[in-house]
């Protein structure tokens, strides 16, 4: 079970939102590259970046901060990023810069053909992010809830060749209320490819529950507010996950 620290970028700062609301942001650092180096030193084996401004604008908006993060850590650990990725040129720019994987979210729902094309052009580097509220996919920085069921979308994108799916329960994101294990497992069972959990990770009990779901295809978990506010010690949590996976 891979634990993946999140660095969410808003106006060049490392922040965390509650339930995806841009107006409810807590700034944890104005030096995101230093934060990335900190998590690497704590034993992170992958980082998760989100361009929050880009997710709402539909185009990259935190490129300078992203470039600095990659310069600091990309030579040592993989880095994935989502937010504002709507075309192949953006994907190529990010991968050339040093990103390992790009995450397609809103564009995957609005234009499924884009995912297929991206998987053909950049095989092995495409992740789809499915953000859901009550099982229904949300887009445009979570501002719009669609009529698409998360499981149906997941099956479609698995067939397109994405390497994994990040499943975020919007209602739990940033709320420290526990991971929605049941919904994440159901998605993993439906799609048959690795699923990374996101939203609500709170304490070591969540780590234990996630590790128990690893056999069902839940291979990782993104953690944000818990490691920034200290309800989880990242290094301790990864050691626990490693021991439970042995």
């Amino acid at each position: 079970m891979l634990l993946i620290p999140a660095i969410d970028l808003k106006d060049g700062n490392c922040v965390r939102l509650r339930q995806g609301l841009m107006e409810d942001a807590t700034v944890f650092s104005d030096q995101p590259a230093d934060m990335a180096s900190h998590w690497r030193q704590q034993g992170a084996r992958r980082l998760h970046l989100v361009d929050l401004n880009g997710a709402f604008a539909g185009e990259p908006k935190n490129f300078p901060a992203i470039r600095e993060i990659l310069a600091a850590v990309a030579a040592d650990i993989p880095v994935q990023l989502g937010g504002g990725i709507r075309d192949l040129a953006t994907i190529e720019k990010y991968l050339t810069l040093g990103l390992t994987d790009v995450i397609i979210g809103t564009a995957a729902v609005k234009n499924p053909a884009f995912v297929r094309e991206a998987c053909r052009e950049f095989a092995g580097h495409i992740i789809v992010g499915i953000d859901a509220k009550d099982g229904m996919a949300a887009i445009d920085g979570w501002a719009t809830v669609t009529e698409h069921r998360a499981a149906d979308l997941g099956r479609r994108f698995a067939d397109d060749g994405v390497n994994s799916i990040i499943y975020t329960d919007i209602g739990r994101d940033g709320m420290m209320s526990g991971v929605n294990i049941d919904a994440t497992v159901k998605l993993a069972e439906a799609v048959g490819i690795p699923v990374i959990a996101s939203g609500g990770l709170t304490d070591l009990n969540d780590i234990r529950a996630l590790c128990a779901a690893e056999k069902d295809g839940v291979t990782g978990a993104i953690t944000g507010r818990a490691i920034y506010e200290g309800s989880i010690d990242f290094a301790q949590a990864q050691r626990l996950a490693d021991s439970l996976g042995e």
Side-chain angles (χ1 to χ4, degrees), residues 33-34 36-37 40 67-76:
D34 290 347
S37 295
R40 180 195 59 193
R67 183 174 55 225
E68 290 176 6
I69 289 170
L70 292 172
V73 303
D76 301 315

Side-chain angles (χ1 to χ4, degrees), residues 10 15-22 24-25 52 173-174 225:
K10 179 177 183 284
V15 309
R16 290 302 293 169
L17 307 183
R18 294 183 188 273
Q19 297 184 320
L21 300 174
M22 288 288 273
D24 192 356
L52 293 171
D173 189 72
R225 187 173 290 273

Side-chain angles (χ1 to χ4, degrees), residues 194-214:
V195 171
I196 299 168
S198 177
L201 191 68
T202 304
D203 54 31
L204 294 181
N205 287 328
D206 286 324
I207 304 298
R208 295 183 181 95
L210 284 163
C211 288
E214 192 167 8

Side-chain angles (χ1 to χ4, degrees), residues 186-201:
K186 286 179 181 176
L187 179 63
E189 291 174 340
V191 301
I193 63 172
V195 171
I196 299 168
S198 177
L201 191 68

Side-chain angles (χ1 to χ4, degrees), residues 8-217:
D8 291 0
L9 299 167
K10 179 177 183 284
D11 304 329
N13 297 317
C14 173
V15 309
R16 290 302 293 169
L17 307 183
R18 294 183 188 273
Q19 297 184 320
L21 300 174
M22 288 288 273
E23 63 271 21
D24 192 356
T26 303
V27 176
F28 285 102
S29 174
D30 61 0
Q31 299 294 326
D34 290 347
M35 187 61 69
S37 295
H38 169 74
W39 295 127
R40 180 195 59 193
Q41 292 163 4
Q42 289 294 306
R45 300 197 284 267
R46 175 177 282 262
L47 288 181
H48 174 79
L49 311 184
V50 181
D51 181 348
L52 293 171
N53 302 100
F56 283 88
E59 61 183 9
K61 290 294 183 181
N62 282 282
F63 192 78
I66 294 164
R67 183 174 55 225
E68 290 176 6
I69 289 170
L70 292 172
V73 303
D76 301 315
I77 58 174
V79 182
Q80 61 193 41
L81 177 139
I85 296 171
R86 305 287 195 271
D87 55 57
L88 296 179
T90 299
I91 296 174
E92 184 174 18
K93 181 179 181 180
Y94 275 138
L95 294 179
T96 300
L97 194 65
L99 275 176
T100 307
D101 300 285
V102 297
I103 303 158
I104 303 174
T106 291
V109 180
K110 288 185 172 181
N111 182 17
F114 174 53
V115 176
R116 291 194 295 274
E117 190 175 6
C119 287
R120 285 196 300 267
E121 290 290 324
F122 308 104
H125 297 284
I126 305 301
I127 298 171
V128 161
I130 298 179
D131 308 325
K133 187 172 185 178
D134 299 324
M136 309 304 287
I139 58 175
D140 298 326
W142 301 352
T144 304
V145 178
T146 72
E147 296 181 354
H148 298 285
R149 292 195 174 278
D152 294 338
L153 288 174
R155 280 189 288 266
R156 177 194 303 171
F157 298 132
D159 290 341
D160 289 336
V162 303
N163 63 40
S164 57
I165 291 173
I166 296 172
Y167 178 73
T168 303
D169 185 314
I170 294 171
R172 302 196 185 205
D173 189 72
M175 299 303 290
M176 306 283 285
S177 57
V179 178
N180 191 336
I181 298 290
D182 291 343
T184 307
V185 167
K186 286 179 181 176
L187 179 63
E189 291 174 340
V191 301
I193 63 172
V195 171
I196 299 168
S198 177
L201 191 68
T202 304
D203 54 31
L204 294 181
N205 287 328
D206 286 324
I207 304 298
R208 295 183 181 95
L210 284 163
C211 288
E214 192 167 8
K215 65 183 185 303
D216 300 309

